[in-house]
Amino acid sequence: MNNNVENLRRELIRLCDRIGRRVQLMEVCGTHTVSAFRSGLKSMLPANLKLLSGPGCPVCVTAQRHIDAALELARRETVAIATYGDMMRVPGRNGSLERLRSLGARIRVVTSARAALELARNEPNSEVVFLGVGFETTAPAAAATVLEAEAGGIENFSVLSCHKLVIPAMRALLSAGDVPIDGFLCPGHVSVIIGSEAYRPIVDDFGKPCVVAGFEFGQMLAGLVHLLRQIECGTPKLENVYDAVVRPEGNSVALGLLSRVFVEADTVWRALGVIPVSGLEFAPAYRRFDALRRFGMALGEDVDHPVCRCGEVIQGRVEPNRCALFGGGCTPMTPIGPCMVSGEGACSAWFKYGPKPGRSAEPSDAKMEGVT
């Protein structure tokens, strides 16, 4: 451990000791969740500091009704579904894309929206539907691909847009008010697109500290120290320790692509329900690329698994191993909920790196008794 990191670690311990109460900070992004485990950061936190997983895993927040729509499209003979690999095993109401593929459905795993467009070029007699999931990180690429399809006159390409926006979800969590959140460790890659200033309303309207940080151990540690300093002083503000990459105004090119192709709209999140203006639907000029419109489909209703607690996990209400299915009926090989499917899912991270079933939820939990 170099001197800078060691100094940060000592500062974090000192701040937690001075604050003297339980502090809950939410890492919004699934990549932060995984990195906190993998780097050892989570296990070295003082007893009164707890990290909560937030709604920042693209696969985990995709509502069941969107999965069901993809499954319905995949059953059509003329349609080929193009999707990221993580979406293949997410269960819908009646199975998964992986299962449908095993039965002969035309479902292709792609690594980008552009790869899906190439599929459409190469298969002109098919209708290729790209399953567009993710936040402001992936949506600009989908927008650019739609523009490329338009320029190339490719008419057999469309997108099932499940894209979501981070800030409205953070506002929804805080407005619900039933999960104590003392501050946010804001995701580095989304922030590259939206800019650090995008979090200003979270600070101004809710009085919650926000610090943008990258995903390496030192970056996350620095972010936590900055958050704790704010909490100690009682002066919430917006800070950016990832300023080598994240600019206050974000990426104007990417934001321009989004505003050209999409418009903000209400959308449904897994377990969170419909959050106003938290999604992206096609702007009028590009609606012919909207898969739902093209195929005359409407989204159905979600029917949650009666035991699965993924919805509570992504809101920081429970930790994964509080779910009765965790590690037994639900594992990465036999996932029941999306948080166990995705590599960025909190349940998957807990299964790989966290305490095992039958052990305490977190090494520090016992020590935290009496601290709150």
Side-chain angles (χ1 to χ4, degrees):
M1 189 175 291
N2 62 43
N3 288 338
N4 185 46
V5 169
E6 176 58 19
N7 289 338
L8 286 170
R9 188 186 70 82
R10 290 176 178 172
E11 176 71 350
L12 181 140
I13 293 171
R14 185 191 71 81
L15 287 163
C16 285
D17 185 54
R18 287 176 63 89
I19 292 170
R21 64 171 177 84
R22 180 170 181 147
V23 175
Q24 297 199 138
L25 302 176
M26 177 170 278
E27 81 267 13
V28 179
C29 175
T31 307
H32 270 156
T33 301
V34 173
S35 182
F37 272 116
R38 186 180 290 168
S39 68
L41 175 65
K42 198 173 181 71
S43 63
M44 59 159 273
L45 297 179
N48 63 326
L49 175 58
K50 189 169 188 176
L51 290 182
L52 305 176
S53 296
C57 162
V59 174
C60 306
V61 299
T62 299
Q64 186 194 60
R65 66 188 69 179
H66 281 113
I67 305 295
D68 289 339
L71 292 170
E72 182 178 335
L73 285 168
R75 293 188 182 96
R76 303 190 181 201
E77 289 187 3
T78 59
V79 173
I81 297 290
T83 179
Y84 298 123
D86 276 359
M87 297 301 296
M88 289 292 289
R89 294 195 298 145
V90 179
R93 196 181 304 188
N94 296 302
S96 65
L97 290 170
E98 183 178 59
R99 181 173 179 275
L100 268 190
R101 186 170 68 172
S102 73
L103 298 175
R106 301 166 64 200
I107 301 168
R108 315 292 172 79
V109 173
V110 295
T111 56
S112 67
R114 194 167 189 189
L117 183 61
E118 283 303 307
L119 190 62
R121 280 197 180 98
N122 295 331
E123 298 185 18
N125 295 323
S126 298
E127 283 283 347
V128 175
V129 177
F130 174 62
L131 185 51
V133 300
F135 300 96
E136 291 93 335
T137 44
T138 55
T145 303
V146 167
L147 294 176
E148 186 176 346
E150 179 188 50
I154 300 173
E155 296 296 334
N156 63 325
F157 175 78
S158 59
V159 178
L160 177 56
S161 179
C162 314
H163 292 298
K164 292 178 170 55
L165 306 173
V166 167
I167 303 297
M170 295 170 68
R171 296 183 69 94
L173 283 178
L174 292 171
S175 297
D178 55 348
V179 178
I181 300 172
D182 293 296
F184 290 99
L185 192 66
C186 302
H189 42 28
V190 164
S191 304
V192 169
I193 304 299
I194 65 177
S196 56
E197 281 299 314
Y199 302 97
R200 181 71 63 189
I202 303 298
V203 179
D204 292 345
D205 297 348
F206 296 93
K208 298 297 181 183
C210 289
V211 176
V212 178
F215 300 101
E216 295 180 353
F217 180 85
Q219 272 279 313
M220 293 183 65
L221 188 55
L224 295 179
V225 166
H226 279 253
L227 285 167
L228 291 168
R229 285 174 179 161
Q230 294 185 41
I231 292 167
E232 182 193 27
C233 296
T235 53
K237 55 187 177 181
L238 172 62
E239 296 183 284
N240 177 15
V241 299
Y242 203 31
D243 57 358
V245 177
V246 175
R247 292 178 293 181
E249 71 279 13
N251 184 321
S252 61
V253 174
L255 292 173
L257 287 169
L258 288 181
S259 63
R260 180 176 173 184
V261 174
F262 295 113
V263 293
E264 296 179 359
D266 300 351
T267 195
V268 62
W269 296 56
R270 183 174 291 268
L272 291 168
V274 175
I275 299 178
V277 292
S278 67
L280 296 172
E281 67 177 25
F282 281 92
Y286 298 97
R287 283 178 181 166
R288 67 183 184 280
F289 293 99
D290 181 348
L292 292 178
R293 286 176 178 270
R294 178 170 297 195
F295 296 98
M297 293 175 56
L299 296 174
E301 296 295 326
D302 297 331
V303 180
D304 295 328
H305 189 284
V307 181
C308 175
R309 303 184 75 176
C310 279
E312 296 171 86
V313 168
I314 63 174
Q315 298 173 69
R317 299 177 190 275
V318 299
E319 288 166 335
N321 64 356
R322 297 302 189 197
C323 177
L325 299 170
F326 179 80
C330 185
T331 71
M333 295 304 295
T334 57
I336 291 176
C339 297
M340 190 61 90
V341 174
S342 171
E344 294 186 5
C347 294
S348 174
W350 273 73
F351 186 88
K352 291 177 182 174
Y353 307 110
K356 302 306 179 196
R359 295 169 57 187
S360 63
E362 194 170 28
S364 61
D365 269 9
K367 292 183 285 185
M368 294 193 64
E369 292 180 5
V371 175
T372 54

